[in-house]
């Protein structure tokens, strides 16, 4: 489970960033500016990517000067934080396993880039809600095996810790997308969300 979970964490920012290419190609083909809903999902996608690669954390830790630390990927990338935490928890190096998560990440990238606003928004919302549930359940499972303090593990503390966890904002950002889209196409969104 840890190896598959690590694979999702390592791959997610690439899936999110990669989705931007198809959206760009579409408005170039139309020879027109992207619509406001594409701009909204792009804003959220770039926030999520920036957060997952450690940019937000680096700035929180050191202010604007923290931008100079973004190349410290071994400590700032959330996937690296998770890998380091898992090594400490299991007392061995955990390697990512992409056999199941690889196809999942590729499909996520396609859904994040979907030309249909409702489907794209549903992919964002369902992934982030699912991520929150999975991270919490994974931590609870680890904690059942061996009681540990989340504050001692950077990845888990940042995402689901008691002091202003990041996953809350990930979910909130995607829920605001849902509200923005819902004003235009609520039924279309619900259909897409149920099948995503």
């Amino acid at each position: 489970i840890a190896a598959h979970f690590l694979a999702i964490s390592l791959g997610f920012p690439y899936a999110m960033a990669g989705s931007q290419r198809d959206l760009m190609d579409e408005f170039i083909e139309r020879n027109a500016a992207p619509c406001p809903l594409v701009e909204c999902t792009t804003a959220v996608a770039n926030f999520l990517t920036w957060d997952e690669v450690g940019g937000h954390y680096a700035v929180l830790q050191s202010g604007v000067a923290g931008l100079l630390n973004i190349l410290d990927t071994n400590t700032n990338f959330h996937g690296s934080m998770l890998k380091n935490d898992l090594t400490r928890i299991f007392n061995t190096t955990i390697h990512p396993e992409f056999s199941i998560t690889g196809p999942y990440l590729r499909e996520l990238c396609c859904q994040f880039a979907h030309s249909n606003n409702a489907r794209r928004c549903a992919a964002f919302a369902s992934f982030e809600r699912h991520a929150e549930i999975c991270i919490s359940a994974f931590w609870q499972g680890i904690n059942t095996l061996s009681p540990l303090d989340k504050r001692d593990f950077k990845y888990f503390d940042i995402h689901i810790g008691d002091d202003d966890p990041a996953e809350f904002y990930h979910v909130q950002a995607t829920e605001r997308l849902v509200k923005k889209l819902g004003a235009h196409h609520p039924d279309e969104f619900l259909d897409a969300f149920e099948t995503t």
Side-chain angles (χ1 to χ4, degrees):
I1 291 171
H4 291 291
F5 192 83
L6 177 60
I8 291 172
S9 182
L10 291 170
F12 170 71
Y14 296 93
M16 187 59 81
S19 70
Q20 305 302 298
R21 168 70 189 271
D22 288 347
L23 294 172
M24 179 190 72
D25 286 347
E26 184 179 320
F27 65 74
I28 288 173
E29 285 298 314
R30 288 188 296 107
N31 196 31
C35 78
L37 288 173
V38 168
E39 291 178 337
C40 288
T41 54
T42 299
V44 172
N46 289 333
F47 157 68
L48 294 172
T49 303
W50 176 242
D51 189 44
E52 288 298 316
V53 300
H56 185 63
Y57 178 77
V59 171
L60 284 177
Q61 295 301 303
S62 306
V64 177
L67 292 171
L68 300 176
N69 300 327
I70 61 172
L71 297 181
D72 298 337
T73 60
N74 191 46
T75 55
N76 289 331
F77 267 44
H78 287 193
S80 295
M81 290 178 187
L82 177 60
K83 186 176 183 182
N84 295 334
D85 282 357
L86 293 175
T87 298
R88 288 180 52 221
I89 291 167
F90 295 107
N91 201 29
T92 188
T93 300
I94 303 295
H95 299 283
E97 174 55 59
F98 288 101
S99 60
I100 295 169
T101 54
Y104 173 67
L105 287 164
R106 288 188 175 113
E107 181 59 27
L108 270 181
C109 188
C110 291
Q111 294 301 314
F112 292 154
H114 205 287
S115 60
N116 180 285
N117 291 319
R119 289 199 65 79
R120 190 173 60 258
C121 185
F124 279 49
S126 63
F127 177 81
E128 284 303 334
R129 178 61 72 184
H130 186 238
E132 181 181 45
I133 292 166
C134 286
I135 295 169
S136 297
F138 187 42
W139 175 256
Q140 288 170 358
I142 289 170
N143 211 31
T144 299
L145 296 173
S146 177
L148 300 168
D149 189 339
K150 272 187 291 211
R151 292 172 294 186
D152 294 334
F153 299 94
K154 192 187 287 188
Y155 175 88
F156 293 102
D157 187 43
I158 286 172
H159 285 82
I160 55 170
D162 298 326
D163 186 25
D164 208 19
E167 205 55 37
F168 169 80
Y169 295 100
H170 290 197
V171 171
Q172 288 296 308
T174 58
E175 285 182 359
R176 288 182 183 207
L177 270 181
V178 171
K179 288 179 183 174
K180 189 170 272 288
L181 181 77
H184 303 285
H185 307 286
D187 294 335
E188 190 178 5
F189 170 80
L190 287 173
D191 289 342
F193 188 79
E194 287 175 3
T195 59
T196 300

